Amino acid sequence: MEIELRAARIPVIGRVAHHYWLVIHDGEPERWEIWQWRDAGGESWGHLHRNLLPYDQGVGNGPSWVVRRWSGEPAAELATRITQSPRSYPWRDRYLPWPGPNSNTFVRWVIGDARLMGWQAFGKHYPVWRRRHRSSVRAAA
């Protein structure tokens, strides 16, 4: 099993804003992300989507890229958080481009460490991210 943190430039403002999401590679890749519209496609729970787009497709301003990969125990821990997020992510029914919660808030909530996301990840510092459980992934990664 492997988890990927991926990013892509947002249309129009891509020089200053990036969209982040997570991919679980354990058989068929599963893309998990928050999208600005509820129930936009794939499987969804409010703004939280699984497989809305192909796992490596950008969001309209060029291709995506891999930011980080995890394997082994850290990947298994992240996969559990991701797959439980339809029940546990506190902002799946709320989306605000600024200051959040948004796609980058979700990724930060899962991985815990904002330093893994670039300065263009607006929403990663949404102040109530602390509602997430304590992360041991940072130490294990």
Side-chain angles (χ1 to χ4, degrees):
M1 171 186 300
E2 184 177 81
I3 303 295
E4 282 182 348
L5 170 59
R6 295 189 75 90
R9 290 179 180 84
I10 294 175
V12 181
I13 58 172
R15 290 184 157 239
V16 297
H18 294 171
H19 172 80
Y20 284 77
W21 66 92
L22 295 158
V23 179
I24 300 172
H25 290 279
D26 190 19
E28 287 293 314
E30 292 183 3
R31 176 176 174 154
W32 289 79
E33 67 198 308
I34 294 292
W35 200 252
Q36 65 267 31
W37 297 292
R38 297 172 55 85
D39 307 318
E43 190 172 2
S44 63
W45 304 266
H47 293 276
L48 176 61
H49 291 78
R50 178 170 61 186
N51 297 328
L52 172 64
L53 299 170
Y55 81 94
D56 58 350
Q57 180 179 320
V59 292
N61 191 6
S64 73
W65 62 90
V66 175
V67 175
R68 176 81 185 252
R69 286 188 176 99
W70 292 268
S71 58
E73 190 174 324
E77 183 180 333
L78 287 172
T80 298
R81 290 183 193 161
I82 294 166
T83 58
Q84 290 178 354
S85 65
R87 293 181 305 281
S88 59
Y89 181 61
W91 305 285
R92 71 175 197 194
D93 293 315
R94 184 170 180 213
Y95 179 90
L96 291 171
W98 176 257
N102 60 30
S103 62
N104 300 327
T105 309
F106 171 71
V107 169
R108 168 74 186 270
W109 180 84
V110 171
I111 67 174
D113 191 348
R115 295 174 298 175
L116 298 177
M117 303 166 75
W119 64 267
Q120 304 93 333
F122 295 110
K124 73 178 181 179
H125 291 302
Y126 185 65
V128 290
W129 73 269
R130 292 175 189 89
R131 288 177 58 182
R132 189 185 66 75
H133 40 78
R134 295 300 251 169
S135 173
S136 61
V137 172
R138 182 175 61 195

